[in-house]
Amino acid sequence: MASTVKTSTVNAPRHFLRDDELSPAEQREVLDLGLAFRSNRQHRQPLAGPQAVAFITDKPTLRTQVSFLTGIAELGGFPLMVDGSLAQIGVRESIADTTRVLDRQVSAIVWRTYGDDRIQAMAEVSRVPVVNALTDGFHPCQILADLLTVAQHRGGVEALAGQTLTYLGDGANNMANSYLLGGATAGLHVRIAGPAGYQPEPSIVEQAAVIASTTGGSVTVTDDPQAAVTGADVVATDTWVSMGDEAEAAERQSPFVPFRLDAALLAHAKPDAIVLHCLPAYRGKEITAEVIDGPQSVVFDEAENRLHAQKALLTWLLSEG
């Protein structure tokens, strides 16, 4: 699943389709900028004019839509909402032709879609930055927000390296993939815990391990939830049924029950461990109400940090391009 976007062309834009498209130093720059935006939402306005940014969604959305549209406006730009169900990109018109229409009129394109091949095809022809707002394979903007949240609660971006982050649940989904790649880039010790049959692709684990070998982090995949949580600084979870997997909802319940994040399981983490969930959450399934609504939960800081992290990312991409 390695990235195939061509970036050798002089003055080619920088895209953000996968977590590993930022080097460790670049990721730190974005996160530091995110903290600056968190302190001052008017820190910079690179889209003043206003310049337009297209936001396209093919999937249901709340946090992604609100954070990007608000963020684009706060950067001085005009958020151009494109309804994917009406545009029918790749059906009514090719991805390439759609992109060539958009990149003459907007300064960046943000797309929440299905297959990673779709956003790859857009980035291959786009003359402006393309941002992955979620695909079936990756959710890199969410992981930037999660890293920003850990930095917020641990004393800054420089404190990220060496933290242990455990993710519980579906290890084969886009969140697990992005935790592996983005967490390794930040120098985290990333533990992915999921039942057999719901674990990450070996190629993603291998790529994350290569990155971790250069940042001082590590990667572990296990089917033992208690071992994964023991001593963790950060414990994250997500819905057991991702968008597109709804038909499997009934059969997914039983194997995931041991991975439910409840008070008993959280007790194995460090006493000051923080809890993440990208939302929407289903209380009583992947996480209990006492945990997500409890004192160790920072999930609403995490949701807010989508705004600050994405403003930082757009600002950085526009300056790089």
Side-chain angles (χ1 to χ4, degrees):
M1 298 178 69
S3 176
T4 58
V5 175
K6 298 176 182 178
T7 57
S8 59
T9 304
V10 175
N11 296 326
R14 285 293 299 267
H15 305 297
F16 188 54
L17 312 186
R18 292 166 44 121
D19 309 79
D20 55 350
E21 289 182 336
L22 293 178
S23 71
E26 290 170 341
Q27 186 192 71
R28 287 193 295 272
E29 289 177 12
V30 172
L31 293 173
D32 278 328
L33 188 54
L35 288 176
F37 275 117
R38 184 175 175 87
S39 296
N40 175 12
R41 287 172 64 157
Q42 307 305 317
H43 176 61
R44 289 174 63 181
Q45 290 196 313
L47 293 169
Q51 299 176 54
V53 173
F55 176 84
I56 312 167
T57 181
D58 298 335
K59 289 187 173 186
T61 176
L62 171 65
R63 280 151 297 278
T64 298
Q65 178 176 327
V66 170
S67 58
F68 266 113
L69 299 189
T70 301
I72 292 162
E74 291 186 355
L75 292 175
F78 176 77
L80 178 64
M81 181 75 181
V82 179
D83 185 337
S85 65
L86 295 178
Q88 297 183 52
I89 300 171
V91 177
R92 181 171 175 268
E93 189 170 19
S94 73
I95 293 173
D97 284 356
T98 301
T99 306
R100 292 184 180 108
V101 169
L102 290 172
D103 72 7
R104 289 169 177 252
Q105 301 180 59
V106 302
S107 295
I109 303 169
V110 178
W111 196 8
R112 180 179 173 93
T113 190
Y114 292 91
D116 294 274
D117 59 320
R118 290 169 60 76
I119 203 164
Q120 285 277 353
M122 176 172 282
E124 286 171 2
V125 299
S126 179
R127 300 180 299 178
V128 300
V130 174
V131 175
N132 179 354
L134 179 143
T135 56
D136 293 343
F138 303 96
H139 200 353
C141 289
Q142 180 66 59
I143 267 52
L144 285 179
D146 289 9
L147 293 173
L148 191 63
T149 306
V150 178
Q152 173 193 347
H153 288 272
R154 290 291 187 256
V157 176
E158 63 280 0
L160 287 173
Q163 295 278 308
T164 296
L165 182 149
T166 294
Y167 169 79
L168 299 164
D170 185 357
N173 71 6
N174 51 11
M175 286 297 295
N177 290 341
S178 280
Y179 274 128
L180 283 165
L181 297 179
T185 300
L188 299 181
H189 300 294
V190 182
R191 302 172 182 172
I192 304 296
Y198 298 95
Q199 295 189 341
E201 288 187 18
S203 62
I204 298 294
V205 178
E206 291 168 8
Q207 290 161 29
V210 169
I211 296 169
S213 70
T214 70
T215 62
S218 65
V219 172
T220 302
V221 177
T222 179
D223 60 2
D224 185 336
Q226 182 173 317
V229 170
T230 298
D233 300 286
V234 184
V235 183
T237 189
D238 187 20
T239 176
W240 295 338
V241 184
S242 299
M243 284 179 284
D245 294 330
E246 291 84 359
E248 303 173 13
E251 66 186 75
R252 281 173 173 259
Q253 297 304 311
S254 179
F256 282 104
V257 168
F259 298 85
R260 176 179 292 130
L261 183 53
D262 57 19
L265 186 54
L266 182 60
H268 293 281
K270 289 183 178 178
D272 63 346
I274 59 175
V275 171
L276 300 177
H277 192 308
C278 65
L279 302 176
Y282 301 93
R283 288 165 171 80
K285 292 189 177 180
E286 73 274 5
I287 191 167
T288 60
E290 66 177 331
V291 171
I292 195 171
D293 299 323
Q296 291 174 265
S297 172
V298 294
V299 299
F300 293 104
D301 284 344
E302 179 187 7
E304 177 189 339
N305 281 332
R306 288 290 300 276
L307 171 67
H308 310 308
Q310 290 160 185
K311 287 171 66 177
L313 175 68
L314 284 171
T315 300
W316 189 88
L317 289 173
L318 290 166
S319 68
E320 287 297 299

